[in-house]
Amino acid sequence: MGMTGAGKSSFITLCTQEPLEIVGHGLSSCTSQVMMHTMTCNGQTVHLIDTPGFNDTVRSDGETLQELAFWLAAAHEREFHLSGIIYLHPINANRLQGSGVRSLNAFKRMVGESNYHGVILATTRWDEIAPEQMHLASQREQQLRTKGADILQKGGRVVSLSAGRHDAMRIVAHVAGRRRDERLTLAFQRQLVDEGRAIYETDVGRVLFEQLETDHQQLQGRVEGSQAEILKLIESGKQDHLTEVLEFQTETTNSLKPLEDDIERMRKRMNDIREQWEERLRKEKDALAEAEKESEEKIKQKSEELTRLHAQLRSPSPSSGVGRNGSRQWSSPQAPNFLEPSDGYVPRSTRSASPSSTYSTSSSGPRSLTPNSAITEAGLLREIEELGHQQDVIRSWKQIRPDSRRHAQQPGHNAAWSVVGTGLAVAQVVAAIACTVM
Ligand SMILES: Nc1nc2c(ncn2[C@@H]2O[C@H](COP(=O)(O)OP(=O)(O)O)[C@@H](O)[C@H]2O)c(=O)[nH]1
Ligand SMILES: [Mg+2]
């Protein structure tokens, strides 16, 4: 857990040395952000769970909590217990004044006192602290110790984490080395699954829900206030400010909607949440398959372009479209089409002396090859490499997602999680769950 930007995903990348980002495809906006990464540590299979933060720019806190509810409940139902929870706290920002305290308090409620012994509070981003600021950073760490004193009293720990792999692996090794009988069931998991509570009835949900209700009441009060002002302005015939007040009222009314949606989300129980997230994950699966297909096609297309480019580089250099033997090289209907064979592209120019031949793709009229143009062999190779990288990421995303359908159909069955790795019986799990502004 930890605020957005605390370094949770970076921590996992350091440990697994896997890429995480998918560029494009609109996947990031439609996808669940909970991901499971599998690695080996001291001969043990370790699953690291990455999760989203509450102050996400595109997602509301209610949605994030719902997502956490879905995955954590699924894990608990399948008796897939956590070995430890790492709470990351960025030391480079003075966050323990507001959002940081709310985040830590939410974290404590989600985890529950009985699991504090399994918590590691790790401070991150020390490398961004200038030497003259070091005493301030140390003070912040001390504040974290104070705010997390109850965790420490119950056996939790505070550690400083460097930006390197060594420290991250040390923490993973520590957690993975825990005894089986020390595995954790979070308060949030127990309350959702065993006690059948709705999200807003859980300890962590209650905090968020109360905040939402307070914000809603405040906004509602402003809407009502502006309504009264509007009536007064109309009655008194003073209409100068009317447009302004009307605009204010519209804006305020509009901001009520997301809060109401979130309040509604918090009222949900596991059955509804499961249904909704399974549908979401089904769409994600389709989107991933589509993205994989698309990148395969692009790689094929770029490779063909490269082959043609090489063929052209090997062929005699035509001058003004005329080859050494006098025949036209590129303008015949059979001439190789370097980009999109169907769009009437006719290469006209010659190869360049270097392997980095360049080609232009003018937007008006047929495309032409010129020495100043944008497509080079090096460029194509780079594009192919980037596409290959993207494909790797898509494939790793496919692997890191537990199969939700199997979750739904086989509650209590461990195999549901085996899609993310084998050896679950001995697997250790570390949760790095984001709890940001609540
Ligand atoms: N300098 C520095 N940057 C970091 C560190 N950890 C994370 N970052 C950067 O902070 C940003 C947010 O990190 P990320 O891992 O995505 O945070 P998350 O929201 O907690 O998953 C990224 O740009 C990271 O590269 C760190 O220890 N040092
Ligand atoms: Mg992240």
Side-chain angles (χ1 to χ4, degrees), residues 160-220:
S160 312
L161 200 61
S162 75
R165 184 164 195 257
H166 179 260
D167 275 6
M169 287 300 289
R170 212 160 41 94
I171 290 191
V172 171
H174 171 79
V175 175
R178 281 231 175 83
R179 292 201 319 265
R180 261 159 178 283
D181 58 1
E182 287 180 331
R183 300 232 177 127
L184 316 171
T185 300
L186 306 186
F188 191 46
Q189 293 176 304
R190 217 180 42 244
Q191 291 163 2
L192 287 170
V193 179
D194 304 346
E195 299 169 20
R197 298 194 203 180
I199 293 184
Y200 79 98
E201 294 166 333
T202 63
D203 291 347
V204 59
R206 202 171 292 144
V207 183
L208 182 55
F209 192 72
E210 280 166 11
Q211 186 64 51
L212 280 171
E213 286 209 315
T214 308
D215 293 349
H216 189 268
Q217 275 165 15
Q218 269 178 6
L219 279 181
Q220 189 72 49

Side-chain angles (χ1 to χ4, degrees), residues 1-14 20-21 50-53 55 88 92 123-128 161-164 432 434 436:
M1 299 191 176
M3 288 184 270
T4 292
K8 299 174 296 297
S9 303
S10 306
F11 176 93
I12 290 180
T13 307
L14 276 177
L20 288 178
E21 302 288 325
D50 193 10
T51 56
N55 61 343
L88 298 186
N92 63 338
T123 48
T124 57
R125 309 189 69 152
W126 283 95
D127 59 307
E128 289 173 296
L161 200 61
S162 75
T436 320

Side-chain angles (χ1 to χ4, degrees), residues 261-310:
D261 288 349
D262 248 9
I263 287 173
E264 199 46 46
R265 277 188 196 103
M266 306 285 291
R267 293 212 165 97
K268 294 264 189 291
R269 283 175 201 279
M270 280 321 298
N271 279 349
D272 293 332
I273 296 170
R274 248 180 239 119
E275 206 172 292
Q276 185 186 330
W277 275 92
E278 272 152 19
E279 171 62 14
R280 213 171 164 148
L281 290 165
R282 195 188 55 73
K283 284 190 182 148
E284 174 195 278
K285 210 171 165 187
D286 292 348
L288 281 171
E290 184 62 32
E292 191 179 12
K293 203 169 124 214
E294 204 180 293
S295 74
E296 263 166 21
E297 277 166 12
K298 277 194 195 155
I299 288 175
K300 192 166 159 247
Q301 184 196 332
K302 294 289 167 193
S303 304
E304 282 168 8
E305 278 176 41
L306 193 64
T307 309
R308 288 179 189 135
L309 177 57
H310 285 155

Side-chain angles (χ1 to χ4, degrees), residues 60-241:
S60 71
D61 289 354
E63 218 171 333
T64 298
L65 195 57
Q66 222 184 52
E67 181 179 355
L68 291 174
F70 172 70
W71 290 107
L72 290 172
H76 181 45
E77 282 162 352
R78 272 112 202 127
E79 294 167 23
F80 188 80
H81 300 300
L82 303 173
S83 295
I85 306 150
I86 303 167
Y87 181 89
L88 298 186
H89 177 76
I91 208 71
N92 63 338
N94 197 9
R95 294 241 175 88
L96 270 174
Q97 302 304 323
S99 59
V101 173
R102 287 201 296 278
S103 169
L104 186 60
N105 286 340
F107 167 78
K108 289 184 194 173
R109 287 186 164 87
M110 187 177 282
V111 169
E113 256 184 57
S114 59
N115 295 308
Y116 283 176
H117 65 278
V119 171
I120 293 181
L121 300 174
T123 48
T124 57
R125 309 189 69 152
W126 283 95
D127 59 307
E128 289 173 296
I129 306 292
E132 64 275 15
Q133 300 287 315
M134 209 42 108
H135 68 286
L136 260 181
S138 300
Q139 274 173 17
R140 288 181 195 143
E141 192 173 67
Q142 191 48 47
Q143 282 171 358
L144 182 67
R145 283 178 189 277
T146 310
K147 306 275 184 200
D150 41 0
I151 294 178
L152 305 187
Q153 273 158 19
K154 295 262 162 67
R157 289 196 184 185
V158 173
V159 296
S160 312
L161 200 61
S162 75
R165 184 164 195 257
H166 179 260
D167 275 6
M169 287 300 289
R170 212 160 41 94
I171 290 191
V172 171
H174 171 79
V175 175
R178 281 231 175 83
R179 292 201 319 265
R180 261 159 178 283
D181 58 1
E182 287 180 331
R183 300 232 177 127
L184 316 171
T185 300
L186 306 186
F188 191 46
Q189 293 176 304
R190 217 180 42 244
Q191 291 163 2
L192 287 170
V193 179
D194 304 346
E195 299 169 20
R197 298 194 203 180
I199 293 184
Y200 79 98
E201 294 166 333
T202 63
D203 291 347
V204 59
R206 202 171 292 144
V207 183
L208 182 55
F209 192 72
E210 280 166 11
Q211 186 64 51
L212 280 171
E213 286 209 315
T214 308
D215 293 349
H216 189 268
Q217 275 165 15
Q218 269 178 6
L219 279 181
Q220 189 72 49
R222 279 189 217 156
V223 172
E224 284 161 15
S226 57
Q227 184 62 32
E229 201 179 337
I230 289 164
L231 288 175
K232 248 199 302 191
L233 285 171
I234 293 172
E235 277 169 17
S236 64
K238 292 184 201 159
Q239 306 216 343
D240 319 0
H241 297 305

